Amino acid sequence: MAERSEQLIRKAQATHCLTRQDIAELLGDADCEERLAQAADAVRQEFVGDGVHLRGLIEFSNICRQDCCYCGLRRDNRRIERYRLTPDEIVELARKAKGYGYRTVVLQSGEDPYFSVPVLCHILQRIKKMDLAITLSIGERSREEYRAFRAAGADRYLLRIETTDAEIYHRYDPGMSHANRLRCLWDLRELGYEVGTGTLVGLPGQSLDSLAADVLFYQELDADMIGIGPLIPNGDTPLGEAAPGDFHLTRRMVSILRLLLPEANIPATTAMETMVPHGRELILASGANVVMPNVTEGDYRRKYALYPGKICVADTPADCRQCMQGRIAAMGRFVARDQGFRHHRKPNS
C-alpha cells in the first residue's frame, strides 16, 4: 500500500475529515482496501460498539409511479408481478416482527399512490402502539406529507439519492428532479427524522470524483444512516446490459463513510451478499453495524424484484432472524437490544 494512502487513512481516523481529492484517491487505491477496512472497523467499535442492529424489512408494495432505469420496480416494467399488501397485512407483519425480537421495522415500497396520508398514517399509528421504531422508505412526498407521517409515528426515513451528480441522476431517473430529491432530504432533516440516504455504485458514467462528492454531501447533511450498494443489472430495465458495480469499490466506500461519519448507522446491504458469499459479514467487518433481514412472507419476497439473484427469497422470516443472529455471534459481535437510534456522543475513553 502506498505511503500516501496510509497517511490519508490515519488522517481520516484521527480527524474524520478528508478532502474530495483525498476520498477519490482512497476509493481508487485497491491496495489499501484491507487497511481501510481495519481502520473503519476500529472506528466503528469505538463510536457505535459491537452491537449489530437488526431492522425488520416489510416490502409492502412493488407498485411504483417512477421509472428509474436501474430498478426492477420501475413503472414501465411489464414483466414484474405486481402486488400490494393491505393495511391489516402490513400491521400483522409488524406484529410478527416484534415477536421475532425486532425493535425496528422498515416499511418499504415503490412510490405507490394508494398509500395516501390517511391510509399510511393509520398504519403508522397502529404499529407505533407496539413500541416499535418505524423507518419509512416510500420515496418522494411533499413536506406536508412528511410532517404528517412524523406526527403519526415515523421515526426515520430512508431516501437514497443514488448519486449527487445531477447529470447522471437525470439520465437514469427520467421525469424526476435532482433538486426535488435534495429538497426531500433537507425537509426530512428539518422535520426531525433520522435521515437515511445512500449511493448506487456502478451507474454508467459515475466517477471516483462523483462518489467522493456523495460522501461529502452525506457529511453536509449529517446523515444518520447511509446505505451503499453496487449496481446489479436487471434484465427488465434499460441498464440490463450494464456492467455490475464493483464490490470492492463499494466496500472501500463503506469504510470511508465510517471513518468520516463515525456515529452513523451503516447497513451491510443484501446486494453485497448477492454479489459475494458472506458479503454481509465482510461489510460488517469493514465499518457497518446494521442488517435489515426481510420479514415479508411468502411469494411477495420474490416479487419485490429490485434486481435478479436476490438472496434469501425462499427463507421464512424466522429463518432469516435466526440465521443472522448466529452469523453475527460467530463474528464475536451481538444483536443490539435497543431501537438503534443514532447516539451523538464522544468516543469511549
Side-chain angles (χ1 to χ4, degrees):
M1 184 181 67
E3 182 179 345
R4 167 71 174 164
S5 290
E6 176 63 29
Q7 291 173 346
L8 291 177
I9 292 169
R10 289 180 179 177
K11 176 184 174 184
Q13 190 168 357
T15 68
H16 314 298
C17 184
L18 292 174
T19 68
R20 185 164 166 172
Q21 181 179 341
D22 292 341
I23 297 167
E25 283 185 45
L26 287 176
L27 287 171
D29 185 359
D31 292 336
C32 80
E33 185 169 325
E34 297 305 325
R35 174 71 181 98
L36 194 58
Q38 179 187 48
D41 198 48
V43 168
R44 184 271 310 157
Q45 185 176 45
E46 187 176 10
F47 279 81
V48 299
D50 286 333
V52 176
H53 295 283
L54 298 185
R55 296 178 175 171
L57 178 62
I58 300 172
E59 297 167 333
F60 63 90
S61 172
N62 69 354
I63 295 167
C64 192
R65 62 179 178 171
Q66 305 291 6
D67 211 24
C68 303
C69 294
Y70 44 81
C71 180
L73 307 193
R74 68 192 309 260
R75 183 188 66 232
D76 286 355
N77 182 6
R78 307 302 179 198
R79 299 183 65 181
I80 192 171
E81 299 172 62
R82 302 289 180 179
Y83 74 91
R84 173 191 292 140
L85 300 187
T86 67
D88 285 346
E89 288 174 320
I90 296 167
V91 173
E92 177 62 11
L93 287 176
R95 186 191 65 77
K96 289 181 178 179
K98 182 167 185 177
Y100 300 134
Y102 293 102
R103 301 297 313 282
T104 297
V105 290
V106 181
L107 305 184
Q108 186 172 78
S109 72
E111 293 199 17
D112 184 346
Y114 169 80
F115 290 96
S116 62
V117 167
V119 171
L120 200 50
C121 283
H122 185 57
I123 294 168
L124 292 169
Q125 289 162 355
R126 292 172 67 189
I127 293 175
K128 203 63 186 174
K129 291 178 182 177
M130 303 177 196
D131 190 30
L132 288 168
I134 304 173
T135 301
L136 278 180
S137 180
I138 59 171
E140 296 183 357
R141 299 289 187 115
S142 69
R143 184 183 180 96
E144 291 69 30
E145 288 174 297
Y146 288 148
R147 190 193 308 278
F149 300 149
R150 183 84 178 100
D155 302 288
R156 307 182 179 108
Y157 203 102
L158 176 58
L159 184 71
R160 288 191 14 171
I161 195 166
E162 309 298 8
T163 176
T164 56
D165 185 312
E167 182 180 345
I168 295 174
Y169 185 93
H170 290 133
R171 187 184 310 159
Y172 299 120
D173 297 282
M176 298 177 70
S177 162
H178 185 258
N180 190 58
R181 199 74 162 187
L182 292 173
R183 187 274 305 167
C184 289
L185 287 167
W186 286 110
D187 279 353
L188 292 164
R189 165 59 68 223
E190 291 166 10
L191 290 168
Y193 284 89
E194 280 202 344
V195 180
T197 187
T199 294
L200 186 59
V201 176
L203 287 169
Q206 194 179 53
S207 66
L208 297 179
D209 184 66
S210 69
L211 291 173
D214 292 352
V215 174
L216 293 179
F217 170 69
Y218 302 145
Q219 277 196 311
E220 179 189 0
L221 181 67
D222 193 23
D224 301 293
M225 179 173 170
I226 308 122
I228 305 298
L231 172 69
I232 300 177
N234 186 323
D236 294 335
T237 71
L239 289 183
E241 300 300 318
D246 187 307
F247 177 92
H248 294 284
L249 174 59
T250 308
R251 183 188 179 205
R252 293 196 294 277
M253 191 165 180
V254 167
S255 294
I256 290 169
L257 283 164
R258 173 56 68 200
L259 292 173
L260 299 190
L261 290 98
E263 301 170 338
N265 286 311
I266 302 176
T269 61
T270 304
M272 296 299 274
E273 189 153 327
T274 298
M275 293 193 83
V276 173
H278 297 285
R280 281 184 287 193
E281 281 99 330
L282 190 57
I283 300 304
L284 284 171
S286 306
N289 70 316
V290 172
V291 177
M292 297 194 292
N294 200 333
V295 299
T296 317
E297 293 180 344
D299 207 31
Y300 298 128
R301 295 162 77 97
R302 177 186 62 81
K303 292 178 181 178
Y304 202 84
L306 299 172
Y307 50 81
K310 191 176 177 183
I311 59 168
C312 303
V313 294
D315 294 348
T316 69
D319 289 339
C320 285
R321 176 66 174 79
Q322 199 64 30
C323 173
M324 280 314 307
Q325 182 165 330
R327 291 166 65 178
I328 289 164
M331 296 179 67
R333 306 267 287 273
F334 62 92
V335 174
R337 294 178 179 269
D338 62 286
Q339 292 185 334
F341 289 99
R342 175 182 170 187
H343 294 291
H344 298 270
R345 58 179 176 81
K346 294 181 180 179
N348 299 327
S349 57

